[in-house]
Amino acid sequence: GLGPSDASPDEGVVEDLPLIDEKAVEQLTEGLISHYLPDLQRSKSALQELTQNQVVLLETLEQEISKFKECNSILEINALFSEAKHYHNKLVNIRNEMMMLHDKTSKLKVSGLSI
């Protein structure tokens, strides 16, 4: 069977509730709050500061990323200009060769006519 030690731990709690002193509960609650509230407020302000620092850090990172993108664009533009210069030089050489060939063919025609 069940002995006295096997009684439910909640037994008698409901009956004891009216005996609780409301003022004591209020004082205990205030004591508990006053004990933990300063730490919680410090934690809250520390978290707010961390959050603000993270926002600043993210903004700084975004600025740095945009700078890198700009640098990359400048490098691409420089590469494009050097490539354009290279092809311009090729065109100039081709034009010079064409003029030289034209001169040679003109001279050949003249010498062919004189034969």
Side-chain angles (χ1 to χ4, degrees):
L2 293 174
S5 63
D6 293 331
S8 169
D10 294 334
E11 191 176 306
V13 170
V14 176
E15 293 82 8
D16 291 345
L17 280 178
L19 300 176
I20 294 174
D21 184 6
E22 293 295 325
K23 191 162 179 71
V25 170
E26 195 175 318
Q27 287 175 339
L28 284 170
T29 305
E30 285 176 10
L32 195 65
I33 289 173
S34 68
H35 180 72
Y36 286 108
L37 194 60
D39 285 340
L40 289 172
Q41 286 172 332
R42 278 193 294 277
S43 296
K44 181 182 177 183
S45 65
L47 283 173
Q48 285 174 335
E49 188 179 338
L50 271 175
T51 305
Q52 288 170 347
N53 288 343
Q54 283 181 334
V55 168
V56 170
L57 186 63
L58 282 173
E59 288 172 356
T60 306
L61 280 174
E62 286 171 4
Q63 289 171 0
E64 292 300 315
I65 287 170
S66 66
K67 284 180 190 174
F68 279 117
K69 285 180 180 174
E70 284 174 26
C71 287
N72 203 23
S73 298
I74 289 169
L75 289 174
E76 287 172 7
I77 289 170
N78 287 340
L80 196 62
F81 274 118
S82 66
E83 194 175 354
K85 187 177 179 183
H86 172 73
Y87 284 115
H88 173 74
N89 288 337
K90 275 190 165 189
L91 283 172
V92 168
N93 289 338
I94 290 171
R95 189 189 72 180
N96 291 339
E97 285 180 25
M98 295 288 281
M99 288 175 71
M100 188 178 66
L101 285 173
H102 176 72
D103 287 347
K104 283 184 178 179
T105 54
S106 296
K107 287 177 184 173
L108 281 174
K109 281 181 186 175
V110 169
S111 67
L113 288 175
S114 62
I115 291 179

